[in-house]
Amino acid sequence: MQSSEKCKIEIIGEMTQERLASFTMLYYPLLGTEAFILYQTFLAIGTRNQKIRNHLLIEKISGLSKEMLVKSRNILEQYLLVKTFYNAIENSYIYQVYMPKLGSDFLRHEVFGRLYLKKLGKQVYEFTKLSFAHEIDSKENFQEITMPFENILKETWEDKEEERFQKLKPNEELISGSSEIPLSFNFDKFLTGYSLTLFPNSCRTQKNLQLIGELATIHGISESDMRKYVSQSMDLKDNTLNEERLKRKVRSAKRSIEVSMNKENPYGLPPVVFMKQKQHGIDVSKGDKYLIETLITDFKMKPEVVNVLIEYVLEKTNQKFTKSYVEKIASEWVRLQIDTSEKAMEHIKNEKPKQNKIKKAELPEWFDHPESIEREDKIVDEKELEEMMRRLRGES
């Protein structure tokens, strides 16, 4: 890497006070001074209006040599704070800068938490645990060259340290309780007996389990079948869960949960299952499945509200499920804070259709009583008419 080589910085997320405290108290002791300074430099430059063109300003502000800059960047990549992309044709870089994990997430992390305990000891770990205990440019021509994540602990982690970490780490909230949508998925049933070879501990993160639970809830996938799709979605090379592959697997799958319509709450079904019932048992298309996922993951709508929306749109558009119209209605409901099926039904009930007819009050009085109209054309006597015609012709 040379000072004259082009580069850009993209900031992903926003640095809050909570994340800044986590970065200073938790990351800094592990990153070291140079990597800490480089991250702060990336963050400061990336949030300014004036964009940089090459690495020279980064070197000048951080005070790091080219060699130390590369070394520090690699450390930040190891801690998932930076991703690096390189375009060999244009000889240019893009640095994506990610926000630090929240304190409780950092201390629960399979590697970061253990490494922090090992380096700083039990007393510091317990203090920080209490401190944090509370509730873009196209990269088409770029190739990601971020250093792959490796287990920083390697062979230095001993059994007694693992035992102490398990006792000290913060209790993780139930996924179903921390989710933005109510999940109908039994995580205990899913994980019990699930081989660590097929789904290793390092992949059983809150983020991955959240995704698994959401996909199962949306598409109506059983715990046993979800195991199969997760195993098929593992990247054996780096032992990680390929999220996009899992989504494709689930979208292509037929539902595996036997469900029955709840008479008290007909909108309590998984949305894809609800959609399937609306089309008389015919499988939902992949495009419609993706659109339904978007309503829940991007629009943050609850499944029961999505089901009301599905029913409303199908009735309104003669059984069409057009993306633009669906997203238009979803956006309106989100702005109106419609977050239950009852609120959605009430909104539909009170919705006033546009009146295309002319209001009766705007019509003239004689519209309903034409017999009352007095004719203005009076009957004229024939002799009188002849006399008028002669006068007009100038005859005497």
Side-chain angles (χ1 to χ4, degrees):
M1 188 192 73
Q2 301 299 320
S3 303
S4 59
E5 288 177 331
K6 294 184 293 185
C7 67
K8 293 182 180 179
I9 299 174
E10 293 180 354
I11 305 299
I12 311 299
E14 183 178 356
M15 179 64 82
T16 63
Q17 289 296 325
E18 279 293 308
R19 294 187 187 278
L20 179 59
S22 172
F23 183 63
T24 304
M25 296 175 64
L26 304 178
Y27 282 85
Y28 174 52
L30 304 184
L31 296 175
T33 302
E34 290 80 8
F36 182 84
I37 291 173
L38 179 60
Y39 181 85
Q40 295 282 31
T41 304
F42 275 153
L43 191 64
I45 295 175
T47 53
R48 299 307 92 198
N49 294 328
Q50 187 66 30
K51 304 304 178 183
I52 61 173
R53 296 182 179 180
N54 54 46
H55 291 86
L56 184 60
L57 189 67
I58 299 175
E59 293 178 18
K60 293 290 186 181
I61 292 178
S62 67
L64 301 175
S65 64
K66 290 188 288 290
E67 295 76 13
M68 184 56 70
L69 197 152
V70 173
K71 181 180 178 181
S72 298
R73 189 196 76 200
N74 290 340
I75 293 174
L76 295 176
E77 291 168 350
Q78 283 279 301
Y79 283 88
L80 312 179
L81 293 170
V82 170
K83 280 189 177 182
T84 305
F85 299 84
Y86 178 66
N87 185 331
I89 299 174
E90 298 181 1
N91 191 28
S92 61
Y93 293 77
I94 292 179
Y95 299 120
Q96 284 187 340
V97 180
Y98 290 80
M99 296 301 104
K101 293 179 178 293
L102 294 174
S104 58
D105 294 334
F106 179 97
L107 293 171
R108 280 200 301 262
H109 191 272
E110 295 293 331
V111 174
F112 301 162
R114 289 170 169 81
L115 189 61
Y116 190 82
L117 173 61
K118 182 178 180 65
K119 184 168 184 177
L120 280 85
K122 178 181 176 181
Q123 288 185 333
V124 175
Y125 187 96
E126 288 186 329
F127 173 82
T128 52
K129 182 177 73 173
L130 293 174
S131 298
F132 291 101
H134 55 69
E135 206 29 13
I136 313 200
D137 287 326
S138 172
K139 302 174 186 65
E140 182 178 353
N141 297 320
F142 287 80
Q143 178 182 2
E144 184 176 353
I145 60 170
T146 306
M147 179 179 290
F149 179 78
E150 298 176 357
N151 191 338
I152 307 171
L153 293 173
K154 296 183 178 179
E155 304 299 326
T156 65
W157 190 253
E158 298 180 1
D159 291 342
K160 61 180 181 180
E161 294 171 317
E162 172 66 20
E163 183 179 351
R164 182 168 56 177
F165 176 78
Q166 291 295 343
K167 291 179 180 179
L168 290 173
K169 73 174 182 178
N171 292 325
E172 185 169 3
E173 297 176 0
L174 290 175
I175 299 298
S176 57
S178 60
S179 173
E180 295 186 7
I181 67 170
L183 302 181
S184 55
F185 188 72
N186 190 326
F187 287 96
D188 288 337
K189 184 177 180 181
F190 171 71
L191 292 172
T192 302
Y194 196 177
S195 170
L196 292 176
T197 303
L198 298 176
F199 189 41
N201 259 329
S202 58
C203 293
R204 302 186 182 197
T205 63
Q206 183 167 352
K207 178 185 176 184
N208 284 343
L209 293 176
Q210 180 73 38
L211 173 65
I212 291 167
E214 287 183 356
L215 290 174
T217 299
I218 295 168
H219 294 272
I221 305 296
S222 70
E223 291 80 8
S224 58
D225 279 356
M226 184 55 81
R227 281 190 186 183
K228 177 177 66 176
Y229 301 135
V230 168
S231 298
Q232 293 172 351
S233 303
M234 292 296 298
D235 280 334
L236 301 180
K237 183 178 179 181
D238 53 5
N239 222 20
T240 58
L241 178 64
N242 189 315
E243 295 181 9
E244 291 305 316
R245 189 185 303 164
L246 176 61
K247 291 176 183 178
R248 290 195 298 269
K249 292 281 184 184
V250 171
R251 289 172 194 152
S252 302
K254 295 183 179 180
R255 69 173 179 85
S256 55
I257 295 179
E258 293 299 325
V259 294
S260 58
M261 184 69 77
N262 185 336
K263 293 182 179 180
E264 294 183 0
N265 182 17
Y267 303 106
L269 295 174
V272 171
V273 177
F274 184 86
M275 181 75 159
K276 183 175 181 178
Q277 289 194 355
K278 285 294 179 182
Q279 49 195 46
H280 311 292
I282 304 300
D283 282 336
V284 180
S285 69
K286 291 182 182 179
D288 288 348
K289 288 180 179 179
Y290 179 81
L291 180 53
I292 291 171
E293 277 184 33
T294 301
L295 295 177
I296 292 177
T297 58
D298 293 352
F299 287 82
K300 307 301 181 185
M301 301 180 77
K302 292 183 179 179
E304 63 179 80
V305 179
V306 171
N307 288 339
V308 178
L309 186 145
I310 290 171
E311 184 176 71
Y312 172 75
V313 169
L314 294 179
E315 292 177 356
K316 195 84 171 177
T317 62
N318 194 25
Q319 302 304 306
K320 295 177 182 177
F321 200 61
T322 309
K323 182 176 184 290
S324 58
Y325 185 71
V326 169
E327 291 185 344
K328 177 183 177 182
I329 300 300
S331 298
E332 177 190 349
W333 287 14
V334 168
R335 290 193 295 270
L336 293 172
Q337 296 182 328
I338 296 175
D339 53 7
T340 66
S341 57
E342 290 80 10
K343 288 183 181 179
M345 295 298 294
E346 186 67 21
H347 172 70
I348 294 171
K349 180 181 177 182
N350 295 332
E351 189 179 47
K352 295 181 179 180
K354 293 181 179 180
Q355 300 293 330
N356 295 320
K357 297 181 180 179
I358 301 175
K359 295 180 180 179
K360 185 174 181 179
E362 297 174 352
L363 298 174
E365 294 179 0
W366 49 259
F367 184 81
D368 291 326
H369 305 285
E371 68 279 0
S372 65
I373 305 174
E374 295 184 4
R375 293 180 58 84
E376 295 181 359
D377 50 334
K378 296 180 180 180
I379 299 175
V380 182
D381 184 85
E382 289 185 9
K383 290 183 179 181
E384 185 180 349
L385 182 59
E386 287 183 15
E387 183 64 27
M388 291 174 61
M389 294 299 292
R390 282 198 299 269
R391 285 200 299 271
L392 289 171
R393 290 195 295 267
E395 299 175 357
S396 56

